[in-house]
Amino acid sequence: MEVNENILKILRKKDLSEYVVATSVTDTDQVRFSVDSKDLFNHWSEKSAAIFISKGKKIFSTTISNVTAPELEIDKAVSVLNTLPENTNYMGLSDKKHSYGSLRKFKKIHADIDEMASTVLNSALNAGSDRVAGLVYNEFSTVYLDTQINEVEYSEGGLHILVRSFSGEGTGQESSHLGFDSKRSTNELEKMGREATETAKLGTKFSEGKPGKYDVLMSPYLVGNLMTYGSSLFSAYNVDAGMSCFEKKVGQKVASGIVNLVDDPLNFNGDAAIQVDEEATPTKRLPMIEKGVLKTYLHSTSTARKFGVKTTGNAGIISPHPWQLNMLPGEENFDDMLHDMKHGLFIKNAWYTRFQDYRNGIFSTVPRDGIFTVENGEITGSVRGIRISDEIPRILMNIDQVSKEQMNVKWWQEIHSSFMPYVHVRDISISRSF
Amino acid sequence: MPGELCEKLLNAAEKKSKYAEVRFMELEGSGAAYRNGSFEGAAYSKSSGYSVRVLNNSLAISFSNSENFTELSRALDVAVERSMIPGKSRLVTKSDGKKEWVVSGSKKVDNVSLEDKISMLRDNDILMESLGASVRMNYLSDRKVKQVFMNSEGSEIKGEFSRVSYFYFAGILDSGEFEQSTGEFGSTGGYEYFDALNLRDRITDDIGSIKKAMHANHMKPGKMDVVIGPEISGIVAHESAGHPTEFDRIVGREGALAGESFLTGKKLPMKIGSEAVSVIDDPSMKGSYGFYVYDDEGIRSRKRYLYRKGFTDEFIHNRESAARQGVEPNGGGRSSSWNMEPLPRMSTTYIEPGDYSFEELMEGVNDGIYVKNFTEWNIDDIRFNEKYVGKEAYRIRNGEIAEQIRRPIIETNTIKFYSAIDAVAKDVEFFAGQCGKGDPEQGVDVWMGGPHARLRDMYIQ
């Protein structure tokens, strides 16, 4: 790409086996608000280049912001590379030439984020909130990516809206992401603000939670949180490192038969959609769990060669990762799932998920923004002070209902952009503070 | 030369705003990693850019890494135009004058060869393997930072510092059982920090303890006295004293992200624990991982009591939150990079040491547990409901350490925890960490620590 030419000219003269140059040009805006008004407007205008070089099994990565005069940094990188030991796990970049003929082109979404922030803020306040907090993003980047055999230009970005509402002790949160193909409407924004406040106001009859085993109806936010933290367990890097509970589980049942999970990078209804991975391999819709059976780990070319399979288009060259998870809809209506619960908890969101044992997937997480007791299909109150303290493999196996409804969920680093349904899970371990 | 446009950009900004400031930061970092007996790779990054904040009818910031003044002016104009729209517009605009500060350590990061760094990683990987760890990750990194802060009130603060850090993960697999452990160490300065750290001894002790822990028994839940180690004191000080006293959380500014505080809406000062408890945040502690002389808003750093003798005391402020409370900023405005807004952040947060020896703490316990350090932990977003799972822990009987126990759980709330402390030891130890906050999320380097302390009548699971 012309944008990378200053860098490429220098790299071509060096004695290297491989290189990747990815220059990102970013144009992003954000409005933040809290209590009853806006706090701050932020604007980012950035250009920087991420460079990966290798010589045999020696590898080095560098990021530079001075892309017009990069000689010094590149000279330094190459001289350092020559002194390094080999990475015996490194198996090389993709050597497949791609044409990228069908790549879609995008421009930054035209949106008045000030107006959007006002709409969602006022909607939450008008529904009776004590106070509100949130933000609206409009993110856009163009990436110019070159390897020795491929060159490609692509765009990524979208809108992200977050609103949290407070009413007495109760809180409610709605948070969505919209990609280049998403339809946007003022009604949806108003609905987000209103529903955040309705959830907050539902939390009126609070009691201390009781520890034990519960059937739990999980909202798409909670499912998104668990899958965000659990997703690293699917990476071939973590499997190879001995850090995954899914080691030696490809082809085996790892979830209930009604669970279907795909990585969905070409779904432009979401803002994490991406068309090529970090080594220029085109991405694709990738079944990860089909009818409860683990189909594959997530691979780059390097990890794929080590495992004797093909790349899945999920580079991170060294550490592959998912782009945009999608737990496919099931057959139940959410209303019926709630109505059919005899005794259990309906939990809308969680945060601070931490593992005490990655190999067995043992973790705990702190529910928030709607923790309700359910008796005979009715929400009867709210609880405080509880945790989900359980194991990822057990939760996946105990899912017995998946909803038809799905939501675009994203929140901070706690929920990566994804599409998630409501799920009902049997016998979840709940602990509490004493 | 990167950074040379600060003054010109400030001149342009102050003509278009009631108050303006320009920040420039240059961050140069390098790192290397070893995983399971194999060198993983090395990385280097160099990033610099400007942040211009203007105040008119509201606050707006533009971030740009261009060194072209026309492009910077364009970014400034975006911020100025947006700052004319009504919004919150309070900020303490004081100047601390013209100052310069430098911290680089005696063994400067530029003077330590990559070969030496890789040797350290390899040696520790070999050590871990010899101790029986089948899963091993070791990371070593250093960073040099140059920063300039200028505002329309005449402030011109220039700072330079370097930091070094080490992180490891170790996992032991035996008969289907697995135990894992992490260690994180860091300092502001140079590589001299590692000379006195005894890292190999620490790793040896840590892996030895988790090897024993995996064959220890879980204990029966119940109420008992607990002695906690400095690592637990540190995480508790950070999570349930530092975070809830960040004043932007108290007034709701982080409400949708890192959360509010259990102090939100409360009458202050508020009693949070026993008289034995004081918690300090001190960015001026030399050598600490969170050390700085001036914060990222050009305000001189100083020690602050967050809790004093069981009551809330001072809060952590940046220029914006100080204006909300009507006080002077106290040097808590930190930003991890040129493209992140400064927020009220911790630096080195610790429970203040008391008068007891470790032996005296133990002597007062007939039947209890000693929880030396932790593995899994978490806390709710108002920083009240918290959990710490013990990594190395023992029963105490008649004032003596007895058998090792596996993963005891302290799951309680902030008031109960601090109220249960009846004695605090003289010793103090610090541990490094990354603290996350804001959106985009930004991690800043912190130390957290404290002494051994004794808690009475806690429910342990």
Side-chain angles (χ1 to χ4, degrees):
Chain A
M1 310 297 297
E2 196 177 331
V3 174
N4 291 331
E5 202 47 42
N6 282 337
I7 296 170
L8 294 170
K9 267 185 205 165
I10 302 168
L11 289 175
R12 286 185 198 114
K13 291 178 190 163
K14 305 287 184 186
D15 181 20
L16 298 170
S17 307
E18 303 161 313
Y19 59 75
V20 180
V21 179
T23 296
S24 300
V25 181
T26 299
D27 173 8
T28 288
D29 300 303
Q30 179 203 56
V31 174
R32 290 185 57 156
F33 54 86
S34 68
V35 185
D36 60 357
S37 59
K38 291 166 193 166
D39 293 316
L40 179 68
F41 171 87
N42 283 317
H43 170 70
W44 288 269
S45 167
E46 298 181 34
K47 188 176 189 180
S48 66
I51 302 169
F52 174 90
I53 54 177
S54 73
K55 189 173 177 181
K57 284 183 177 290
K58 296 182 176 184
I59 61 171
F60 189 77
S61 303
T62 186
T63 305
I64 56 175
S65 53
N66 186 1
V67 296
T68 50
E71 293 87 352
L72 277 178
E73 279 83 2
I74 294 175
D75 284 351
K76 182 174 178 177
V78 173
S79 66
V80 168
L81 176 76
N82 288 322
T83 68
L84 293 176
E86 291 187 339
N87 177 343
T88 53
N89 293 308
Y90 179 66
M91 307 297 278
L93 295 175
S94 168
D95 52 10
K96 192 172 178 186
K97 173 82 178 158
H98 300 288
S99 65
Y100 307 108
S102 58
L103 229 59
R104 295 177 65 189
K105 304 276 187 193
F106 300 101
K107 290 181 178 171
K108 186 177 183 182
I109 292 174
H110 182 70
D112 184 342
I113 61 170
D114 250 307
E115 183 64 31
M116 292 171 69
S118 295
T119 301
V120 74
L121 166 66
N122 291 329
S123 167
L125 288 172
N126 292 338
S129 173
D130 295 345
R131 62 189 183 282
V132 178
L135 53 77
V136 180
Y137 264 110
N138 187 0
E139 297 178 274
F140 185 75
S141 292
T142 302
V143 180
Y144 304 89
L145 197 158
D146 280 272
T147 71
Q148 278 152 310
I149 51 174
N150 289 304
E151 61 175 280
V152 59
E153 173 188 338
Y154 64 91
S155 301
E156 52 189 341
L159 297 166
H160 169 43
I161 307 106
L162 163 64
V163 57
R164 190 170 188 221
S165 184
F166 299 77
S167 177
E169 193 179 339
T171 59
Q173 181 164 301
E174 298 293 322
S175 183
S176 189
H177 61 107
L178 304 171
F180 297 114
D181 284 347
S182 288
K183 292 194 172 88
R184 301 181 299 282
S185 76
T186 303
N187 285 346
E188 281 300 311
L189 293 172
E190 289 172 343
K191 187 178 166 201
M192 284 180 68
R194 190 170 61 244
E195 289 187 350
T197 297
E198 285 171 359
T199 301
K201 289 170 80 174
L202 258 180
T204 50
K205 287 164 58 184
F206 273 90
S207 61
E208 297 298 328
K210 291 179 184 155
K213 295 273 188 186
Y214 286 83
D215 288 354
V216 175
L217 179 53
M218 298 184 174
S219 95
Y221 295 108
L222 177 54
V223 181
N225 179 275
L226 297 181
M227 296 314 299
T228 293
Y229 280 96
S231 65
S232 69
L233 304 170
F234 293 94
S235 169
Y237 176 87
N238 284 320
V239 173
D240 188 44
M243 294 267 287
S244 170
C245 52
F246 296 126
E247 188 178 326
K248 296 179 182 170
K249 292 284 175 70
V250 172
Q252 294 184 30
K253 200 162 186 297
V254 295
S256 147
I258 57 172
V259 173
N260 294 285
L261 181 71
V262 303
D263 189 26
D264 206 2
L266 299 178
N267 185 340
F268 283 91
N269 286 311
D271 73 345
I274 193 164
Q275 298 176 90
V276 296
D277 73 4
E278 290 177 19
E279 58 179 326
T281 300
T283 60
K284 62 183 179 187
R285 184 180 166 94
L286 178 75
M288 294 165 63
I289 297 176
E290 268 183 0
K291 294 182 179 176
V293 174
L294 181 64
K295 304 304 287 184
T296 182
Y297 301 129
L298 303 172
H299 283 291
S300 63
T301 297
S302 178
T303 63
R305 284 177 180 153
K306 188 165 186 193
F307 280 67
V309 296
K310 289 183 178 172
T311 178
T312 56
N314 288 90
I317 295 166
I318 302 302
S319 180
H321 50 78
W323 301 111
Q324 190 166 248
L325 291 176
N326 186 342
M327 188 177 282
L328 301 181
E331 296 182 346
E332 312 293 329
N333 291 310
F334 164 68
D335 287 341
D336 293 339
M337 291 165 75
L338 180 62
H339 185 262
D340 292 346
M341 278 188 87
K342 295 284 179 247
H343 170 76
L345 296 170
F346 173 35
I347 302 178
K348 292 202 75 172
N349 201 357
W351 92 322
Y352 228 127
T353 304
R354 291 290 183 276
F355 286 81
Q356 59 178 263
D357 179 344
Y358 283 104
R359 270 192 85 86
N360 294 299
I362 303 172
F363 75 101
S364 73
T365 190
V366 187
R368 59 181 271 178
D369 300 321
I371 313 159
F372 303 112
T373 50
V374 178
E375 301 291 340
N376 298 318
E378 298 286 335
I379 289 175
T380 52
S382 297
V383 292
R384 65 168 85 87
I386 66 164
R387 271 177 186 71
I388 295 173
S389 298
D390 213 304
E391 300 167 16
I392 291 286
R394 233 181 59 79
I395 288 176
L396 286 173
M397 294 297 268
N398 281 8
I399 294 173
D400 61 6
Q401 288 180 312
V402 179
S403 75
K404 291 176 183 170
E405 299 91 341
Q406 246 195 350
M407 293 172 68
N408 292 22
V409 291
K410 173 183 183 176
W411 169 48
W412 207 26
Q413 69 270 40
E414 292 287 320
I415 306 174
H416 293 172
S417 300
S418 50
F419 310 99
M420 293 290 156
Y422 294 87
V423 302
H424 181 275
V425 190
R426 296 185 318 277
D427 294 334
I428 293 272
S429 291
I430 299 290
S431 63
R432 62 154 286 199
S433 292
F434 289 93
Chain B
M1 185 181 169
E4 65 188 5
L5 296 173
C6 283
E7 193 171 346
K8 196 172 176 184
L9 184 59
L10 180 65
N11 289 339
E14 61 190 355
K15 286 175 188 158
K16 299 174 179 179
S17 54
K18 295 175 186 169
Y19 167 83
E21 59 187 37
V22 171
R23 283 196 309 122
F24 170 82
M25 280 179 92
E26 181 183 270
L27 304 107
E28 189 174 2
S30 67
Y34 232 87
R35 171 171 69 111
N36 293 348
S38 173
F39 177 68
E40 183 91 341
Y44 167 81
S45 68
K46 190 169 184 180
S47 164
S48 64
Y50 299 86
S51 150
V52 54
R53 176 161 66 175
V54 293
L55 186 158
N56 283 302
N57 298 322
S58 60
L59 288 162
I61 307 178
S62 266
F63 305 95
S64 173
N65 64 349
S66 176
E67 287 291 341
N68 176 306
F69 188 69
T70 305
E71 290 177 4
L72 286 174
S73 297
R74 206 175 296 138
L76 166 64
D77 288 343
V78 173
V80 169
E81 183 184 344
R82 177 55 187 72
S83 70
M84 299 304 174
I85 296 172
K88 296 191 186 79
S89 57
R90 281 189 290 170
L91 201 69
V92 176
T93 60
K94 66 177 272 193
S95 161
D96 270 7
K98 296 190 177 186
K99 302 279 175 16
E100 292 192 22
W101 62 282
V102 178
V103 178
S104 56
S106 58
K107 199 185 273 187
K108 295 182 175 32
V109 297
D110 286 340
N111 295 342
V112 177
S113 71
L114 185 56
E115 193 181 356
D116 284 347
K117 296 174 189 174
I118 292 169
S119 288
M120 184 176 168
L121 291 164
R122 181 175 50 238
D123 290 349
N124 288 339
D125 180 81
I126 291 168
L127 172 67
M128 289 177 170
E129 187 178 25
S130 72
L131 295 167
S134 56
V135 181
R136 307 178 304 281
M137 294 189 190
N138 285 276
Y139 302 92
L140 180 64
S141 67
D142 56 55
R143 191 151 46 96
K144 292 191 297 177
V145 179
K146 289 181 188 172
Q147 56 181 197
V148 178
F149 175 89
M150 301 174 77
N151 73 6
S152 52
E153 301 297 307
S155 185
E156 186 178 332
I157 310 290
K158 293 179 179 174
E160 283 187 41
F161 62 91
S162 59
R163 293 205 175 108
V164 296
S165 70
Y166 198 93
F167 173 86
Y168 72 81
F169 177 98
I172 295 189
L173 187 62
D174 186 6
S175 311
E177 294 288 320
F178 186 72
E179 278 292 337
Q180 65 187 43
S181 181
T182 59
E184 194 166 0
F185 308 91
S187 173
T188 302
Y191 276 86
E192 69 279 1
Y193 170 65
F194 294 111
D195 294 341
L197 191 61
N198 298 321
L199 187 55
R200 290 175 64 81
D201 289 345
R202 289 171 184 267
I203 289 170
T204 303
D205 289 348
D206 187 28
I207 293 179
S209 79
I210 62 170
K211 260 167 103 170
K212 290 177 188 159
M214 68 198 305
H215 299 297
N217 292 322
H218 291 277
M219 56 179 288
K220 192 178 165 190
K223 280 198 165 185
M224 63 196 71
D225 296 341
V226 181
V227 174
I228 56 168
E231 196 178 301
I232 309 260
S233 291
I235 191 73
V236 169
H238 179 92
E239 299 291 5
S240 63
H243 276 306
T245 55
E246 294 165 338
F247 202 75
D248 59 336
R249 300 178 69 115
I250 293 174
V251 295
R253 172 74 144 74
E254 277 284 310
L257 305 159
E260 292 191 335
S261 166
F262 71 91
L263 300 171
T264 298
K266 298 290 194 303
K267 189 172 184 304
L268 303 171
M270 177 178 160
K271 185 167 170 55
I272 52 80
S274 78
E275 200 179 18
V277 176
S278 293
V279 181
I280 292 164
D281 185 76
D282 187 4
S284 67
M285 183 184 288
K286 286 185 178 167
S288 66
Y289 199 36
F291 174 79
Y292 50 90
V293 180
Y294 284 84
D295 74 5
D296 292 299
E297 294 184 315
I299 303 292
R300 179 90 192 188
S301 70
R302 64 172 173 82
K303 180 177 174 177
R304 299 157 293 221
Y305 273 85
L306 308 179
Y307 297 159
R308 197 193 288 263
K309 295 186 175 178
F311 282 86
T312 59
D313 196 74
E314 195 173 1
F315 301 100
I316 301 175
H317 280 298
N318 65 354
R319 287 176 178 267
E320 187 183 334
S321 71
R324 296 258 190 115
Q325 200 191 4
V327 297
E328 289 289 298
N330 55 17
R334 297 185 70 185
S335 162
S336 66
S337 174
W338 59 269
N339 56 3
M340 300 283 176
E341 64 162 327
L343 295 168
R345 307 300 297 265
M346 282 173 270
S347 52
T348 290
T349 316
Y350 62 102
I351 293 179
E352 190 175 41
D355 299 327
Y356 286 73
S357 67
F358 176 67
E359 291 72 24
E360 286 169 334
L361 293 184
M362 300 291 285
E363 282 167 12
V365 179
N366 288 326
D367 183 20
I369 60 168
Y370 169 42
V371 188
K372 185 176 177 185
N373 46 34
F374 68 96
T375 167
E376 176 199 315
W377 89 103
N378 49 31
I379 187 165
D380 67 5
D381 64 299
I382 60 170
R383 304 288 160 170
F384 195 68
N385 161 17
E386 59 219 85
K387 175 186 181 184
Y388 309 99
V389 179
K391 184 169 69 178
E392 180 179 356
Y394 304 87
R395 289 303 303 259
I396 304 171
R397 291 198 177 85
N398 301 319
E400 300 285 334
I401 289 182
E403 76 275 13
Q404 191 162 358
I405 50 176
R406 193 177 193 194
R407 297 181 188 171
I409 299 168
I410 304 170
E411 195 168 356
T412 188
N413 69 50
T414 298
I415 302 283
K416 283 182 183 171
F417 191 97
Y418 288 117
S419 299
I421 294 178
D422 80 329
V424 178
K426 297 173 203 170
D427 59 345
V428 63
E429 199 175 346
F430 296 97
F431 304 88
Q434 282 289 310
C435 175
K437 189 177 173 184
D439 195 330
E441 195 271 340
Q442 47 174 320
V444 296
D445 305 326
V446 295
W447 258 10
M448 43 203 145
H452 283 88
R454 187 173 63 207
L455 289 76
R456 296 294 192 190
D457 212 21
M458 294 288 290
Y459 188 81
I460 304 297
Q461 301 177 68

